[in-house]
């Protein structure tokens, strides 16, 4: 089955860190741009970070300066290192083989991984 699987979420105190992983199943993501997205409770889904197939990175909003996206093509995995977390970072995190939210089919979102930050 061709899919992306997110993992690494959990419960963390404010100021803490987590590293999320986005693993490809049934295909290789090494030739794809990969984006990380977040949806908090009652909020619109938002773009966080993008890494191109060539390894260029970009960040939006609150991810700037705190999150780092990276990829390990040998493992077909993209990571999102999140530091200095705060309660506003709480939400479901998903990855996609696209970095632009408006281009992504609403029906293509997986379960994601839940991140909960408590103060």
């Amino acid at each position: 089955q061709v899919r992306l699987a997110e993992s690494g979420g959990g419960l963390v105190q404010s100021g803490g860190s987590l590293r999320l992983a986005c693993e490809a199943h049934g295909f290789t993501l090494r030739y794809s741009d990969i984006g990380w997205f977040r949806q908090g409770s009652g909020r619109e889904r938002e773009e966080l970070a993008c890494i191109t197939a060539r390894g260029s990175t970009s960040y939006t909003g609150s991810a700037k300066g705190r999150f780092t996206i990276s990829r390990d093509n040998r493992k077909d995995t993209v990571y999102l290192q999140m530091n200095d977390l705060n309660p506003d970072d709480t939400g479901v995190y998903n990855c996609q083989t696209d970095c632009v939210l408006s281009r992504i089919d609403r029906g293509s979102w997986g379960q994601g991984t839940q991140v909960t930050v408590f103060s």
Side-chain angles (χ1 to χ4, degrees):
Q1 184 179 8
V2 176
R3 63 184 179 93
L4 291 170
E6 303 92 345
S7 63
L11 186 65
V12 63
Q13 192 169 16
S14 286
S17 300
L18 285 173
R19 188 176 79 155
L20 307 183
C22 171
E23 187 176 5
H25 293 271
F27 75 106
T28 180
L29 52 69
R30 66 184 62 190
Y31 305 114
S32 299
D33 297 348
I34 300 295
W36 276 101
F37 304 83
R38 173 177 70 205
Q39 186 168 27
S41 179
R43 297 181 178 182
E44 295 291 323
R45 184 174 277 117
E46 59 182 318
E47 301 172 355
L48 294 175
C50 175
I51 187 165
T52 68
R54 293 187 175 185
S56 297
T57 61
S58 59
Y59 303 89
T60 59
S62 62
K64 291 181 180 179
R66 299 187 300 128
F67 295 1
T68 303
I69 190 170
S70 62
R71 66 193 306 154
D72 185 340
N73 286 337
R74 295 170 300 173
K75 296 182 179 180
D76 261 334
T77 301
V78 169
Y79 301 98
L80 186 67
Q81 176 68 41
M82 307 188 297
N83 298 327
D84 193 23
L85 288 164
N86 62 70
D88 287 339
D89 294 314
T90 295
V92 176
Y93 287 68
N94 288 92
C95 59
Q96 289 279 6
T97 54
D98 201 327
C99 292
V100 180
L101 183 58
S102 61
R103 295 198 299 236
I104 298 172
D105 184 350
R106 289 186 178 184
S108 70
W109 296 98
Q111 289 187 337
T113 187
Q114 174 72 42
V115 171
T116 303
V117 184
F118 64 95
S119 56

